[in-house]
Amino acid sequence: MGASSGIGLAVAEALASRGVKTGLAARHTKELHALKEKYPDFVEYESIDVTHNDGPKKLEELIDKLGGMDIYFHVAGIGYSNPSLDSHREAEMIATNAGGFARMVSAAYGYYRDNDRKGQIVALTSVAGTNGIGDMAAYSASKKCAQTYLVALEQLARKEKVDITFTDIRPGWIRTPLLDADKSYPMEMTLDYVVPQIIRAIVKHPRVAYIDARWGALCSAWKAIPDAVWVKMNVSPTKKISLGNEDSAIKPK
């Protein structure tokens, strides 16, 4: 879900090229159609906008084309640094990254539960969900919402005895169209570097996977900072901070 560019498109092609039957979904389908033509036996696609109420129905249609769904991978999301707190952008990020996330991930959960099928729900959230970042208030809050939603669904699955594995993939900066092409970012990673790690996380399905280990270490440090201290820190998406002897940055995917 969210396969028209960046991480979603790269992972989709990596899977299809290995002979994995892959369903692609996004608002815009030009790239999805091109991948279908390249791997006609392994790709199906559907136009889905996660912010629209017909999203779950269209997901059902895509699942029917595939003949079933073993893994649901949610990548769809938007992100901006928005220190001016433009209200439209703040609301748009919440609607897509939290509302759209809940709409589609709950639909995937319902598919496994209602059909008594074993499955896996994988979601790409972000290291930005670790703490609230002032320049990225809506983005970091929406990613925290997604992470908490997965915890709640896992609790529900255990209660209802639904056989679903949950994996929360939390990347740092990745060079995708979301990033400013004229800027470089601390601890920035390439798609070629992160895609194999993402696929490995899907296959090995840890509960939480940081991409990469440096970001995992940094997030562990962030979690230890009390809110009363965190809110006094001068934090921005591109500002370096010190962690031991290493300079790092706070950043979204």
Side-chain angles (χ1 to χ4, degrees):
M1 187 64 61
S4 60
S5 65
I7 299 166
L9 180 60
V11 171
E13 179 156 21
L15 293 173
S17 69
R18 290 164 170 78
V20 178
K21 189 75 170 180
T22 307
L24 316 181
R27 288 182 300 167
H28 307 295
T29 60
K30 179 181 177 182
E31 295 297 335
L32 313 188
H33 180 73
L35 212 58
K36 169 69 173 175
E37 290 192 326
K38 191 172 182 181
Y39 305 103
D41 296 331
F42 300 107
V43 169
E44 299 292 347
Y45 70 90
E46 187 70 44
S47 175
I48 299 177
D49 186 331
V50 301
T51 66
H52 289 180
N53 287 331
D54 66 356
K57 177 62 177 176
K58 289 191 171 184
L59 177 60
E60 289 180 12
E61 293 171 1
L62 179 56
I63 293 172
D64 287 343
K65 290 179 183 179
L66 292 165
M69 180 174 69
D70 299 310
I71 301 169
Y72 176 81
F73 183 28
H74 192 98
V75 191
I78 57 175
Y80 313 107
S81 177
N82 190 29
S84 68
L85 296 179
D86 178 280
S87 59
H88 173 73
R89 285 194 158 192
E90 293 292 277
E92 185 181 31
M93 281 186 277
I94 295 295
T96 301
N97 300 348
F101 182 93
R103 176 178 286 107
M104 301 311 303
V105 172
S106 65
Y109 180 98
Y111 167 78
Y112 294 127
R113 178 185 59 192
D114 298 344
N115 291 281
D116 194 23
R117 288 194 57 154
K118 179 179 180 179
Q120 181 181 5
I121 293 177
V122 184
L124 199 79
T125 65
S126 173
V127 299
T130 305
N131 267 328
I133 301 171
D135 285 3
M136 303 162 57
Y139 183 84
S140 53
S142 68
K143 293 303 180 178
K144 183 64 174 180
C145 173
Q147 293 166 5
T148 303
Y149 195 84
L150 291 177
V151 173
L153 277 194
E154 184 171 11
Q155 184 187 70
L156 182 62
R158 289 174 182 250
K159 176 182 177 181
E160 296 185 333
K161 301 189 185 310
V162 182
D163 193 0
I164 302 177
T165 300
F166 295 85
T167 300
D168 179 352
I169 300 178
R170 304 177 182 180
W173 287 116
I174 300 173
R175 176 51 63 180
T176 71
L178 285 179
L179 300 190
D180 189 328
D182 298 325
K183 293 182 180 180
S184 60
Y185 297 81
M187 298 197 336
E188 179 181 319
M189 300 171 288
T190 66
L191 282 173
D192 287 343
Y193 174 70
V194 303
V195 167
Q197 296 185 60
I198 290 172
I199 292 175
R200 189 177 305 117
I202 293 172
V203 172
K204 292 183 176 296
H205 52 80
R207 180 59 186 78
V208 175
Y210 288 96
I211 307 294
D212 58 7
R214 297 169 299 168
W215 283 104
L218 186 58
C219 286
S220 293
W222 288 352
K223 290 177 183 178
I225 300 173
D227 287 349
V229 175
W230 178 265
V231 298
K232 296 176 183 178
M233 296 174 64
N234 183 14
V235 173
S236 70
T238 56
K239 182 178 177 60
K240 291 186 177 181
I241 62 175
S242 177
L243 175 63
N245 295 321
E246 181 180 2
D247 281 339
S248 305
I250 294 178
K251 81 162 255 44
K253 76 177 186 326

